[in-house]
Amino acid sequence: MSDATLELFRHAPCLIRENVPLAPLTTFRVGGPARLLAEPRNEAELVELMRIISKTGLQYFYLGLGSNLLVSDDGFSGVVIRSSGVLSKVCRDGEYLVSGPATRLQLLASFAAQNELSGLEQLSGIPGSVGGGLWMNAGAYGREISDVFEDATVLTQDLSLERISRTEISFSYRKAPELEPVIVLNSRYKLTKGDQSSITAEMKRAWMLRRAKQPIEYPSAGSIFKRPPGGFAGRLIEEAGCKELREGGAVVPSKHAGIFINDRGATAKEIASLVRTVRRRVYEMFNILLETEILPVGFESDPFEI
């Protein structure tokens, strides 16, 4: 055990585990183990954990709920952070909803509906956390989380606490640049008063659309590629003849060509190979290089580069 690892074990404010399989903690259900897995339960533990990690120089990755990413078959050699406890809760504070970074987007939307607050209905089926949703400005069916985001308390790279507001973040399609180098500790959302039955009906409609159009019965990471200008990645992939293309257990499904699935125990290597093949075929046919939406974790180099 290295000196840095020993330092973390001696002073960590939360549970630390060694060699924890990451596949069960991701929506793709692939990936090797985390050398270390840290599970902070509140803001104080998370801040202190980051202080110690910064001091030791250990590499780290904030996992969230494990969606929108692909973990290497070799796993991650540093510290994987997976928050729980208060960091996965949501509450109401007057006209705002206040959420921890590990709160499920589904829980945030359901809590809003219970309080007769509208604005999150279309996001209710997205299988990710609030922190991850903010990091990539998650959206669906014409709505994005930035539409109702008010502000957030974040931990900066120099370990200071700052409050950052909506106007200070240049949100765009699947991007929130100012949030990329920080860790969100909590965030607030300003919604509008609504009728609970109407809110619930819209949530159900969004869920039914997702169920009808996406292969949610299989492990996946959601959309593999960002939407290219003036078109849809799934349509380009289909027109390039990639539907039902298979690489081992990784498949481009017939139901939605933009969401690759793990069928029959795929490996990260097979999924990455399939992504490269599809990118290459689309580029050769349309001269459009699709930009990946999923994040590679634990790879020595970009596994999606063609």
Side-chain angles (χ1 to χ4, degrees):
M1 189 177 291
S2 68
D3 291 343
T5 301
L6 284 171
E7 178 79 5
L8 180 62
F9 269 101
R10 287 195 188 106
H11 302 289
C14 60
L15 177 66
I16 304 287
R17 292 187 284 156
E18 294 184 89
N19 300 318
V20 179
L22 290 175
L25 304 182
T26 72
T27 58
F28 236 147
R29 297 293 187 263
V30 300
R35 173 67 186 88
L36 299 168
L37 181 72
E39 300 176 279
R41 297 161 296 180
N42 54 53
E43 291 182 22
E45 288 187 356
L46 179 53
V47 171
E48 179 62 13
L49 173 68
M50 292 309 303
R51 187 190 68 79
I52 297 170
I53 289 176
S54 177
K55 181 180 178 181
T56 60
L58 289 167
Q59 186 182 17
Y60 73 91
F61 176 74
Y62 198 110
L63 181 65
L65 293 178
S67 61
N68 274 90
L69 53 82
L70 178 66
V71 176
S72 165
D73 295 316
D74 295 325
F76 187 75
S77 59
V79 184
V80 172
I81 302 169
R82 188 170 186 258
S83 298
S84 60
V86 175
L87 295 170
S88 62
K89 305 296 183 182
V90 58
C91 64
R92 184 172 183 176
D93 182 15
E95 60 182 331
Y96 299 103
L97 291 188
V98 182
S99 174
T103 303
R104 294 179 180 273
L105 283 169
Q106 178 65 51
L107 175 59
L108 184 67
S110 298
F111 187 86
Q114 293 167 13
N115 284 269
E116 299 183 315
L117 296 172
S118 176
L120 290 165
E121 294 88 324
Q122 291 83 359
L123 278 62
S124 63
I126 298 176
S129 67
V130 170
L134 276 176
W135 192 83
M136 64 171 295
N137 192 21
Y141 308 117
R143 295 285 289 181
E144 294 175 326
I145 195 169
S146 58
D147 294 333
V148 294
F149 171 75
E150 185 72 12
D151 53 27
T153 299
V154 302
L155 182 67
T156 66
Q157 288 181 305
D158 63 3
L159 303 180
S160 62
L161 298 179
E162 292 184 4
R163 197 75 184 169
I164 185 168
S165 68
R166 169 69 177 83
T167 56
E168 296 175 281
I169 303 173
S170 49
F171 284 110
S172 60
Y173 175 68
R174 299 298 177 265
K175 289 183 179 179
E178 292 77 9
L179 294 179
E180 290 179 6
V182 304
I183 291 179
V184 174
L185 299 178
N186 64 70
S187 52
R188 297 196 304 165
Y189 302 87
K190 190 173 183 179
L191 308 179
T192 57
K193 193 68 176 176
D195 174 69
Q196 189 176 57
S197 61
S198 298
I199 294 170
T200 303
E202 180 59 25
M203 289 174 65
K204 183 177 180 180
R205 187 187 75 86
W207 171 250
M208 294 301 290
L209 281 173
R210 187 176 297 275
R211 184 173 182 177
K213 295 182 178 182
Q214 300 182 10
I216 60 174
E217 64 272 26
Y218 293 94
S220 79
S223 296
I224 294 292
F225 303 105
K226 296 180 180 180
R227 187 174 62 239
F232 294 94
R235 184 177 301 164
L236 294 174
I237 294 168
E238 183 174 356
E239 292 177 1
C242 296
K243 263 194 173 183
E244 300 185 11
L245 191 65
R246 175 184 287 271
E247 182 76 35
V251 182
V252 180
S254 58
K255 195 172 189 179
H256 193 308
I259 299 177
F260 300 0
I261 61 172
N262 176 0
D263 178 40
R264 305 177 194 172
T267 64
K269 183 178 180 180
E270 291 169 348
I271 293 170
S273 177
L274 184 62
V275 171
R276 293 194 302 271
T277 298
V278 170
R279 291 187 84 200
R280 185 179 299 109
R281 288 195 183 184
V282 169
Y283 181 74
E284 290 172 349
M285 181 167 288
F286 302 105
N287 198 33
I288 295 174
L289 186 60
L290 294 174
E291 183 181 355
T292 51
E293 183 170 313
I294 61 172
L295 180 70
V297 177
F299 294 89
E300 293 184 0
S301 59
D302 185 355
F304 308 135
E305 185 176 359
I306 62 173

